[in-house]
Amino acid sequence: MELLRHKVVSEGIVLGQGVLKVDSFLNHQMDPFLMREVGREFTRLFAGEEVTKVLTIESSGIAPGIMTALELEVPLIFARKQKSLTLTEDIFVEKVYSFTKKESNEITVSKKFIVPGERVLIVDDFLANGEAAFGLARIVEQAGGTVAGIGIVIEKAFQPGSRLLKEAGYRVESLVRIASLEEGVISFVKDEAELTD
């Protein structure tokens, strides 16, 4: 996606240690026109998968997730990281570790929103080590559903998440794949041979 790639180059800020800040269009302030295009691209990529629900994790996955769900004409579910007074029983719970925040969270989804037979598309903003995607996939599978695919807005291809998810049998589609953030320079994967994972 050239539009997304342009945004990453022009507005992304490398903070070091493999961290890319994109809060001007994805993680804090959101570009609705870009998110609409992200949703359309995921819909194109997963058109044949008979998706019945989109699942993401709060909060940065919600914008690309809702636009994808809108284009697919299916509901969006977001896994909660925060404890909710109204969501205390009949829930799926998984523990995931955030690479960026350096902390573990318990994520929860109500059992009434994913039922056996669902075909669920997981959408998230970033893919680094795959923790969030694996946690969401485990929730889908606990519910008796099938992971129809995993759509990632920005993949850090120099970290092992994509490889681990693919080795586990999941289809992963990333809109932008970053090969390196070394010395503050964002470089993209041009060819599969560039990957070192």
Side-chain angles (χ1 to χ4, degrees), residues 155-164 177 194-197:
E155 175 191 331
K156 293 189 240 177
F158 55 89
Q159 291 180 276
S162 181
R163 176 179 55 78
L164 294 172
R177 303 180 73 221
E194 285 186 39
L195 292 179
T196 58
D197 62 7

Side-chain angles (χ1 to χ4, degrees), residues 158-177:
F158 55 89
Q159 291 180 276
S162 181
R163 176 179 55 78
L164 294 172
L165 288 163
K166 288 174 182 174
E167 285 174 359
Y170 299 111
R171 177 183 172 194
V172 179
E173 297 286 350
S174 301
L175 302 186
V176 165
R177 303 180 73 221

Side-chain angles (χ1 to χ4, degrees), residues 4 7 11 18-19 38 56 76 85 103 112 115 165 193 196:
L4 177 59
K7 280 280 195 183
E11 298 181 33
V19 178
V38 164
T56 191
L76 169 75
L85 295 176
E103 64 183 25
K112 70 182 178 184
V115 297
L165 288 163
T196 58

Side-chain angles (χ1 to χ4, degrees), residues 25-71:
F25 63 90
L26 181 59
N27 295 131
H28 193 42
Q29 174 174 268
M30 294 179 196
D31 180 334
F33 303 103
L34 175 63
M35 291 302 102
R36 181 177 60 195
E37 294 308 310
V38 164
R40 287 175 175 166
E41 184 63 8
F42 282 142
T43 299
R44 184 188 71 76
L45 289 168
F46 293 101
E49 295 295 339
E50 299 177 2
V51 174
T52 60
K53 297 263 172 80
V54 174
L55 176 63
T56 191
I57 192 167
E58 69 174 352
S59 61
S60 298
I62 293 175
I66 193 72
M67 294 310 241
T68 303
L70 179 66
E71 292 293 325

Side-chain angles (χ1 to χ4, degrees), residues 77-94 106-114 138-140 142-143:
I77 307 159
F78 66 88
R80 294 176 178 263
K81 292 181 191 171
Q82 314 299 324
K83 296 280 188 220
S84 170
L85 295 176
T86 61
L87 194 63
T88 57
E89 52 190 48
D90 290 329
I91 56 175
F92 297 108
V93 180
E94 282 292 332
E106 280 192 342
I107 59 170
T108 59
V109 172
S110 172
K111 290 183 178 180
K112 70 182 178 184
F113 294 132
I114 306 178
R138 288 191 298 269
I139 286 174
V140 172
Q142 282 180 58

